[in-house]
Amino acid sequence: TTSTAKKYVIATDTTFKPFEYENDKGERVGIDIDLLAAIAKDQGFDYELKAVGFDAALGEVTSGQSDGMIAGMSITDARKATFDFSDPYFDSGVVMAVSASNTTVKTYADLSGQKVAVKNGTEGATFAESIKAQYGFETVSFPDSANMYEDVKAGNSAALFEDYPVIGDAIASGVPLKMMGNMEAGNSYGFAVKKGQNADLLKMFNAGLADVKANGEYQKILDTYIKK
Ligand code: GLN
């Protein structure tokens, strides 16, 4: 059979477990990946995933190389200037993490004179930038979460800022880090398209999201990746 249906290109992050990552069989899995698959099936659209990294995914969508992105992307007012977002599908927020063996950094004030690791383009990076002058620390940027964690484990950076469901998963998986301080008021995750583009895709995402929430598939996906 031939099909003239559009195949959407959807960008995502590389490793942002439990939202997107490669399992030990080399398959790309996670809440975002399974949710997109379930919604596409429900709505009958075709797509191709492009796992390029978070910052690169933002660029893919704004440049029109990708039609949309699903990457644990926080719905922020600043981003609404360049993106249109779906309905929120997961509540999140930013938290500080330090090396598991660190006994000196308990609050942001303890970061004075130190380096703090952040991931390019993220809400965690924006948050760290917003408080760095007040607390007297310097930020160091990384393209992905794995390298950011390594920098803290190696002791180059005293702390990092990351979304708490993601750092929580990493810690539960044995990454020697610990969360410190408050969970900062966070934003929910949404699927995004370039502002004013792909309104059809956004509409299908929202309709599919409502369907998979109603039929229990959404909860099943969460239960697969978030162990109680
Ligand atoms: N939720 C964060 C943001 O939108 C981080 C996303 C990510 O690193 N994939 O900025």
Side-chain angles (χ1 to χ4, degrees):
T1 55
T2 54
S3 170
T4 52
K6 182 172 167 69
K7 189 170 194 177
Y8 293 101
V9 180
I10 313 288
T12 188
D13 201 346
T14 47
T15 302
F16 199 59
K17 191 170 172 270
F19 296 92
E20 44 267 343
Y21 62 100
E22 240 177 52
N23 67 14
D24 44 24
K25 292 181 202 136
E27 300 155 341
R28 193 152 292 281
V29 295
I31 294 167
D32 287 349
I33 307 304
D34 289 14
L35 183 61
L36 177 63
I39 289 172
K41 192 170 178 218
D42 179 80
Q43 295 292 304
F45 67 83
D46 213 4
Y47 67 95
E48 174 197 323
L49 261 186
K50 251 175 130 173
V52 291
F54 186 71
D55 203 31
L58 296 173
E60 282 272 324
V61 176
T62 51
S63 68
Q65 286 167 281
S66 286
D67 297 301
M69 66 184 282
I70 187 160
M73 181 180 184
S74 307
I75 302 171
T76 68
D77 285 339
R79 286 178 181 157
K80 282 179 187 168
T82 33
F83 296 92
D84 288 329
F85 285 97
S86 71
D87 294 331
Y89 66 83
F90 194 92
D91 296 333
S92 189
V94 165
V95 70
M96 175 169 77
V98 301
S99 170
S101 58
N102 185 316
T103 54
T104 57
V105 177
K106 293 190 169 67
T107 69
Y108 300 158
D110 299 325
L111 297 173
S112 178
Q114 310 220 55
K115 285 186 189 135
V116 169
V118 298
K119 179 175 166 186
N120 292 333
T122 63
E123 204 183 8
T126 303
F127 178 73
E129 296 299 333
S130 78
I131 62 165
K132 74 176 185 184
Q134 184 186 352
Y135 293 106
F137 63 81
E138 188 188 318
T139 54
V140 193
S141 286
F142 294 92
D144 54 50
S145 296
N147 280 299
M148 176 170 68
Y149 300 171
E150 282 308 317
D151 203 61
V152 173
K153 280 159 61 184
N156 298 322
S157 288
L160 60 85
F161 284 91
E162 174 71 293
D163 291 6
Y164 55 76
V166 172
I167 201 73
D169 184 285
I171 292 167
S173 309
V175 177
L177 297 171
K178 60 184 174 187
M179 292 190 227
M180 293 305 290
N182 300 328
M183 293 190 190
E184 296 298 336
N187 291 300
S188 300
Y189 294 162
F191 171 82
V193 294
K194 185 178 180 176
K195 195 174 174 68
Q197 306 286 317
N198 282 303
D200 50 346
L201 177 60
L202 198 57
K203 209 173 146 192
M204 287 191 287
F205 188 93
N206 281 334
L209 179 62
D211 284 350
V212 301
K213 277 189 167 177
N215 69 18
E217 268 187 88
Y218 171 81
Q219 192 56 49
K220 224 174 110 184
I221 292 168
L222 292 190
D223 293 344
T224 301
Y225 294 102
I226 302 175
K227 302 291 180 210
K228 292 274 146 51

